[in-house]
Amino acid sequence: MTKSFTWLQVDPADWRGKIGQLRNDGFTFFDFLTGVDRENVEGKQMCEVVVHLAKEDLSDSHFLYTHVHNELASITDLMPAAQWHERECAEMFGIQFIGGSASGESTKSLLRHESLSLPPLRKTTVLAARVLTPWPGGAEPQIKEDGRKVGNASRRRQLPPGVPENWLKQ
Amino acid sequence: MAVTRYALTSDPSVSVEVVSASLACCTLEVQAALNSGALIQVPESDAGPSVIVIAGTVTDALVPSVIELIHAHPGSKVMSFGACATSGGPYWDSPPVSKGIDQFVEVAAYVAGCPPRPDAFIQAIQELLSKRVS
Amino acid sequence: MKHSFIALIEDKCTSCMLCVRECPAWCISLDSHTIDVTEEGARRPRKVNVLDSFEIDYSLCMYCGVCIDVCPFDALAWDEHRALVTTNREDMLLGIVELGPSGSS
Ligand code: SF4
Ligand code: SF4
């Protein structure tokens, strides 16, 4: 049972340094590394990368996160277990892990079909089906003289849950 | 690919050959149905119809294999088992998933559900048999 | 409760659109209009939504139960006695009558 969790935001430049330091402090258990598309961090299109490191007896653990555009230094030499996670993050979120096994010539897609050119978990990657399919929830019952409902002319436009607003403008 | 002939326990005189393409989770329900007691395994023979059950998510990358399987069993009826095979289901908005196998093969029976219950599979087999698929 | 079919209890539905908007597969659609109902003793007529059509596209429905969960009026329910097997994909689009709970029709 993990007894304590610490969340820590680090600068991308300190990513490797901080992780190396934690490893030396006994946080040798690499649990996972993943991305979270925060879409908008202080007005910029950013992706968060999170890593979870714990002490081997799970008595203490750290979640480190950082905001990047599309590049971050790889930690696979410090934490070999991060290889698969960085690769997944690279394919799904389009983040290049510099100096890692998921960058450079070995970047053959393992999870993503060649036909998919964009990273599917970034919100800038529009799911055409969600844009082209009319959303049945857009209709709003409204009263007209004849009692029939008409579109949703006057009310604020309803948006389908989970679909970024800017997709629909395109 | 497992090809086995089954008869309805309620009417062992009719039998059907079941070719099950196990592509995702729906296949567990097909297995449950095949072992539920409503169908009994009978010896292989050339007589009687054959049903190819497409159970699970069909990605675009898998489409050629699915077509190949169906062509390898000429005269078979295709059952689209579950929402994925029928329309993409939960993956309806996912770029690499095909939006229904009926875009490229003829489907004889659609079974709704995500997953459909095993009883729905038995019902589909019964309906295909009562139509005397050939 | 068997996870077999989602039935609509028409009388309970108020056309509030919650299920339509929450369905992750976008497979429910409904149409309604509003009428005035005058009740005895009431000062003004009450506006009531009348359901014109309600459809679930069973070729897409992922049986997640979100619609059942969000319906504030319990107008949607699991129906364990039904399974849908069709020969045409178009027949998987079910309307008010076909969606009625088993035993009622
Ligand atoms: S069960 Fe889920 S997918 Fe099916 S109609 Fe309800 S909300 Fe939509
Ligand atoms: S949530 Fe319930 S009451 Fe509202 S429209 Fe859907 S079925 Fe009808």
Side-chain angles (χ1 to χ4, degrees):
Chain A
M1 217 38 213
T2 308
K3 296 197 181 72
S4 75
F5 299 98
T6 310
W7 280 89
L8 203 64
Q9 180 172 7
V10 298
D11 195 80
D14 302 334
W15 185 246
R16 282 178 53 83
K18 187 70 197 162
I19 288 167
Q21 188 194 324
L22 279 170
R23 190 194 60 170
N24 295 341
D25 291 345
F27 289 84
T28 50
F29 173 62
F30 169 90
D31 184 14
F32 69 83
L33 176 146
T34 191
V36 183
D37 190 346
R38 292 288 176 201
E39 224 180 336
N40 198 324
V41 177
E42 287 151 18
K44 281 180 253 158
Q45 196 75 38
M46 294 290 234
C47 192
E48 185 171 298
V49 178
V50 199
V51 67
H52 182 215
L53 303 174
K55 291 231 163 116
E56 215 149 290
D57 62 1
L58 303 183
S59 60
D60 197 0
S61 87
H62 266 75
F63 287 91
L64 255 66
Y65 64 100
T66 186
H67 293 131
V68 298
H69 276 291
N70 45 26
E71 266 186 19
L72 185 64
S74 168
I75 56 162
T76 52
D77 56 330
L78 303 167
M79 294 278 173
Q83 278 192 18
W84 173 254
H85 298 249
E86 285 190 357
R87 190 147 191 171
E88 190 174 55
C89 200
E91 288 184 33
M92 293 296 158
F93 291 91
I95 292 167
Q96 265 223 325
F97 288 89
I98 310 297
S101 54
S103 69
E105 280 147 43
S106 65
T107 324
K108 182 186 179 296
S109 251
L110 292 176
L111 297 159
R112 214 167 87 188
H113 195 254
E114 312 85 71
S115 65
L116 265 184
S117 51
L118 297 167
L121 296 187
R122 287 302 283 262
K123 288 175 184 157
T124 45
T125 305
V126 174
L127 293 177
R130 292 263 178 194
V131 175
L132 300 175
T133 311
W135 182 53
E140 184 80 63
Q142 267 197 2
I143 306 138
K144 268 202 118 191
E145 271 135 88
D146 61 356
R148 300 295 306 179
K149 91 161 218 260
V150 290
N152 48 337
S154 64
R155 299 220 198 163
R156 195 181 64 84
R157 192 163 69 131
Q158 288 271 352
L159 288 173
V163 175
E165 195 164 350
N166 56 8
W167 285 14
L168 305 169
K169 285 194 206 118
Q170 288 164 4
Chain B
M1 197 59 58
V3 183
T4 320
R5 181 163 289 277
Y6 290 89
L8 290 173
T9 312
S10 54
D11 182 5
S13 68
V14 277
S15 71
V16 61
E17 192 175 79
V18 177
V19 184
S20 167
S22 308
L23 304 178
C25 24
C26 266
T27 201
L28 297 174
E29 308 297 320
V30 175
Q31 295 307 322
L34 293 176
N35 295 300
S36 66
L39 296 169
I40 40 170
Q41 218 169 306
V42 292
E44 286 267 0
S45 77
D46 291 334
S50 152
V51 172
I52 299 184
V53 185
I54 307 295
T57 319
V58 184
T59 57
D60 290 340
L62 262 177
V63 166
S65 315
V66 169
I67 294 179
E68 199 183 307
L69 169 73
I70 290 166
H71 288 171
H73 296 84
S76 297
K77 294 284 167 178
V78 176
M79 184 195 297
S80 175
F81 187 82
C84 277
T86 303
S87 67
Y91 312 107
W92 69 277
D93 59 354
S94 170
V97 175
S98 88
K99 308 295 175 268
I101 57 168
D102 57 4
Q103 291 178 336
F104 46 86
V105 292
E106 203 185 309
V107 173
Y110 296 91
V111 186
C114 185
R117 290 182 48 80
D119 347 350
F121 177 82
I122 308 288
Q123 189 180 321
I125 291 284
Q126 278 169 338
E127 285 190 19
L128 285 171
L129 287 177
S130 67
K131 290 205 181 71
R132 292 285 182 269
V133 287
S134 53
Chain C
M1 181 52 72
K2 282 189 189 170
H3 184 240
S4 291
F5 189 84
I6 291 152
L8 170 74
I9 302 136
E10 190 194 351
D11 299 348
K12 293 189 181 175
C13 175
T14 62
S15 323
C16 69
M17 298 285 288
L18 281 182
C19 56
V20 178
R21 292 193 177 129
E22 292 300 320
C23 170
W26 297 6
C27 69
I28 310 180
S29 56
L30 74 78
D31 214 351
S32 65
H33 68 278
T34 314
I35 53 161
D36 288 341
V37 174
T38 320
E39 271 161 8
E40 233 179 291
R43 221 182 276 162
R44 257 176 291 143
R46 199 159 54 92
K47 301 246 179 260
V48 173
N49 285 335
V50 179
L51 198 58
D52 296 322
S53 69
F54 187 108
E55 280 173 340
I56 296 183
D57 184 350
Y58 268 100
S59 70
L60 259 177
C61 172
M62 58 167 104
Y63 283 48
C64 62
V66 164
C67 51
I68 296 176
D69 231 51
V70 298
C71 177
F73 306 99
D74 292 340
L76 293 165
W78 290 114
D79 187 331
E80 58 187 86
H81 304 295
R82 297 183 62 181
L84 183 68
V85 177
T86 65
T87 48
N88 283 311
R89 184 154 158 195
E90 295 74 53
D91 296 344
M92 300 182 94
L93 189 65
L94 303 191
I96 295 178
V97 177
E98 300 100 314
L99 286 170
S102 55
S104 81
S105 54

